[in-house]
Amino acid sequence: MKKVFKTIGWILLLSLIAIQFFHPTKNNAAGVQPNAITNVHAVPNNVNEILKKACNDCHSNNTAYPWYHKIQPVDWWLNSHINEGKGKFNFDEYAQKSLRYQFHKLEEVVEMVKEGEMPLESYTWIHKDAKLTQDERGILINWAEASMDSMKAHYPIDSLIRKKQ
């Protein structure tokens, strides 16, 4: 029985070493992002700083990776979170979406920030600087609401909101 555990231990160790050579593609787009939200809405510096520290790692095409991303299977786990976050909302792909989508995502920003659902607790647990203060939450919510108001002023409401039936 002792020999079986020793064999299993060696297999696990060799597997752990082997997977260190396999990493997913990094989320680091080079250059200007032509479809970024900043190309559609004014994003003041204070809002941009909040987005950088609390949102962009998972909701943009550029992630600032922590040192531990080089360790597998942690890198796969991080990559999964990044892909999931970008799938829900990507600030760098915002402008290529429909007006209805854009408006709805701003509504979600307001809702998620108000309810404290974003940034995720699992993210802020490690990234302490990503925790938003009440003032930062207010700044982000006010910016999203102002951007929505701007959209309402420039586009017909039925292009922004689906009619309830």
Side-chain angles (χ1 to χ4, degrees):
M1 188 67 150
K2 197 174 182 183
K3 188 174 182 178
V4 170
F5 285 124
K6 189 174 181 180
T7 302
I8 291 172
W10 278 109
I11 290 171
L12 288 174
L13 179 63
L14 291 174
S15 298
L16 189 60
I17 292 169
I19 66 173
Q20 300 311 307
F21 297 100
F22 301 95
H23 292 273
T25 304
K26 298 294 168 240
N27 185 44
N28 289 328
V32 176
Q33 298 295 304
N35 296 310
I37 196 167
T38 56
N39 296 331
V40 178
H41 298 290
V43 181
N45 286 340
N46 60 345
V47 172
N48 198 38
E49 288 304 312
I50 294 168
L51 294 176
K52 278 183 190 176
K53 78 173 194 167
C55 308
N56 285 354
D57 279 348
C58 294
H59 296 286
S60 79
N61 291 335
N62 286 296
T63 299
Y65 287 93
W67 65 268
Y68 51 84
H69 89 277
K70 295 178 181 178
I71 303 167
Q72 290 295 26
V74 174
D75 195 21
W76 289 328
W77 179 73
L78 288 173
N79 190 59
S80 172
H81 275 276
I82 292 165
N83 288 336
E84 184 179 342
K86 284 174 56 175
K88 292 191 184 215
F89 185 25
N90 185 341
F91 287 106
D92 287 337
E93 302 299 330
Y94 178 86
Q96 74 177 5
K97 306 291 185 171
S98 71
L99 291 173
R100 188 170 285 143
Y101 172 91
Q102 292 175 23
F103 190 83
H104 178 66
K105 288 304 172 180
L106 289 171
E107 286 178 318
E108 285 185 350
V109 167
V110 170
E111 178 185 341
M112 296 293 215
V113 173
K114 268 185 183 174
E115 294 177 5
E117 292 183 35
M118 282 289 156
L120 293 175
E121 193 174 322
S122 60
Y123 183 76
T124 59
W125 184 69
I126 295 171
H127 301 87
K128 301 291 185 200
D129 63 324
K131 283 187 179 181
L132 299 180
T133 65
Q134 282 304 105
D135 286 344
E136 290 171 326
R137 287 184 185 285
I139 290 167
L140 203 50
I141 289 166
N142 290 338
W143 166 77
E145 288 175 340
S147 297
M148 290 167 57
D149 290 343
S150 175
M151 290 180 79
K152 287 178 191 175
H154 288 91
Y155 302 106
I157 196 70
D158 63 343
S159 67
L160 303 175
I161 301 171
R162 190 176 309 256
K163 289 182 182 178
K164 295 191 181 177
Q165 300 188 22

